[in-house]
Amino acid sequence: MRVSFCQGLLTGAIVLNLLILYYVSRAQQQMMEKRRDPGRGSRKAALPASGLGGGMGGLVGVGGGMVGPGGVGGEGNSHGPRVTVLLREFEDFENYVGDVARSFLHQRPELPFLAVSDTPPYPPLSLPDGARLLVLSPSPEQPPQAHRPEFHVQTEFVLLVPDGVELEQGRAVERLIRELEGEGGGPVRLVAAPVLARSAVQCLHLRVSLREWTATYTPAASGSSGSVCTALQGDAVVLIRSEDLFNLSVPLGRPLLPSLFIQTSLHGWKVKLLESPCFSASHRPLFSSAHNQWKADSHLKEATSQLMRNFGLKRLLLADGKEQWHGCGKETARCFGTVRDDTPEYLYLDRWTPPCCLRALRETTKYVINILESSGVRYWLEGGSLLGAARHQDIIPWDYDVDLGIYLEDVPNCDYLKNLDSGSLVDANGYVWERAVEGDFYRVQYSEANHLHVDLWPFYPRNGVMTKDTWMEHKQDVEFPEHFLQPLVPMPFAGVTAYGPNNHRRGVAGTFGGFHVAPPKGQNDSSHNPKHIGSNP
């Protein structure tokens, strides 16, 4: 039989494919044999040691391959330990890091132990064999991997332990692993055990609103087999998968547990707090003198403030009902800079006005209204402030100043306003009264440092219409009939009773062209309308 050229070409292609499949199969078989025999083949080279150098050991410990950013890898995890013990929180001047390391390594000598510090501790730590120090601050003579924690952990799990804790029973670590694996990758992504006693740790629900710059803690009820919540308060040992930990933006921020739970709550992850096992802690209290305790408390306060600044959180509502503020105050500048194109910078970050700024605006508004009323100056809510009163009974959540209209003829009644032609005035309470540089109106600033302010716009009647001498070219800045102010009517606003036009809905509709004005980019509320605050920082 005669074979055509095309048939021969097809036969050759089939034979070539069979040969390729044969060699691929052989290569796969050889790789499987190498995996079954970990002694064969080459091992990955260790990175140079970080931190203090000699005596600290290399970066690659027992347990397999190198860990890269965003995940944990390595072929040898099944042949080595599954957990790295990591101690993050300790003070240079007094700590028990060496004792903690010896406690864990005595019970479980195969577990890698890693102490983590921002800078080289002084005095230097005295660590036993098998424990290593990681310094996070970079050094110019070392590669960047030397200071990145994900390159120092090649186990499946990380056990986060506080200073002073002890491991009395090695089986406690396996109990935590079984609990976490039993959750099957659901919302519970962390498992915790109490230090000292169960009552020393409280399970909390944490809600973080980056838009509102606020974190809110509330108590969580405990169950018979443990509590599932989103945050913990108190000393606890926490187990987390290494992959989950290093997928966080700031895996080892300080303070560790607040940093950890703020981030995990934003991911929708939960922590399960077990009744047992309990970890003991013979070193309690941690500090031997009142002075050292004061230093530690001061460092904790500084670290908390820095963490809140880094995460953009200005207000913490604690489980006991107390508040912590980490934003601007009367002695500091406001939380945002000069406004460009009538839009503050935080709106571009899909955030509302920082709550500390809203608080300052409310305080200033209440103060100014009290002065105007006691001086006999007729005033009313103007522009966006009128809209905020109509829609929110408050300042619009993304607004950045308050506008009040006043009768020009009443200005001489107020001692703070009538002499402002000669300059600004700082009153006994630290508020700054001044004539605005942008036009013929007045401004009351929260303080000399913090320029959050209330603007006072002097109107006068002309042929039954309220008008003024300075216009800001905004569509809400328009003339209106004087009968809107006859009489003025009380309206709740910013925690006080203020006055507004007697037909504020019609006034708002005329000013803003209806209630359905454009919200900020990315917002759904229908009551936003950007407006000026001038160019003052």
Side-chain angles (χ1 to χ4, degrees), residues 431-450:
Y431 293 90
V432 180
W433 299 71
E434 63 181 8
R435 183 178 289 276
V437 298
E438 299 95 329
D440 189 17
F441 63 100
Y442 303 100
R443 175 166 290 157
V444 185
Q445 295 180 161
Y446 186 48
S447 70
E448 291 183 274
N450 192 328

Side-chain angles (χ1 to χ4, degrees), residues 274-312:
L274 305 177
E275 300 283 349
S276 64
C278 290
F279 288 76
S280 62
S282 60
H283 301 294
R284 286 295 188 272
L286 274 176
F287 305 104
S288 58
S289 68
H291 178 68
N292 280 357
Q293 183 65 60
W294 170 81
K295 287 172 65 178
D297 292 342
S298 299
H299 289 174
L300 176 61
K301 184 178 180 180
E302 292 170 4
T304 301
S305 295
Q306 184 62 52
L307 179 72
M308 296 305 112
R309 286 193 294 270
N310 293 342
F311 285 176

Side-chain angles (χ1 to χ4, degrees), residues 387-398 492 525 527-528:
L387 182 62
R391 295 296 305 273
H392 304 275
Q393 292 78 54
D394 199 353
I395 301 167
I396 294 174
W398 45 86
D525 196 298
S527 58
H528 170 76

Side-chain angles (χ1 to χ4, degrees), residues 55-57 98 101-102 105-106 108-109 111 113 126-132:
M56 296 302 168
R102 280 183 281 272
L105 293 173
H106 176 73
R108 300 294 301 273
L111 295 184
F113 187 98
S126 176
L127 296 177
D129 292 340
R132 296 177 290 118

Side-chain angles (χ1 to χ4, degrees), residues 408-484:
L408 177 62
E409 62 187 87
D410 292 345
V411 168
N413 297 341
C414 178
D415 291 337
Y416 294 120
L417 295 177
K418 65 182 181 181
N419 296 318
L420 286 184
D421 288 338
S422 58
S424 62
L425 168 68
V426 181
D427 67 21
N429 294 294
Y431 293 90
V432 180
W433 299 71
E434 63 181 8
R435 183 178 289 276
V437 298
E438 299 95 329
D440 189 17
F441 63 100
Y442 303 100
R443 175 166 290 157
V444 185
Q445 295 180 161
Y446 186 48
S447 70
E448 291 183 274
N450 192 328
H451 294 175
L452 288 161
H453 56 264
V454 173
D455 283 337
L456 304 176
W457 299 88
F459 282 81
Y460 54 89
R462 184 173 60 190
N463 299 324
V465 175
M466 297 301 294
T467 188
K468 55 190 174 77
D469 293 331
T470 296
W471 301 96
M472 304 305 295
E473 297 183 357
H474 299 281
K475 66 178 182 179
Q476 70 267 32
D477 195 19
V478 296
E479 296 177 336
F480 57 91
E482 185 181 11
H483 65 76
F484 279 13

Side-chain angles (χ1 to χ4, degrees), residues 114 163 179 182 187 200 272 301 311 353 421 425 433 442 465 489 506 511 516:
L114 190 64
D163 192 11
E179 287 287 345
K272 184 175 184 179
K301 184 178 180 180
F311 285 176
T353 306
D421 288 338
L425 168 68
W433 299 71
Y442 303 100
V465 175
V489 297
R506 183 176 176 186
T511 300
H516 300 287

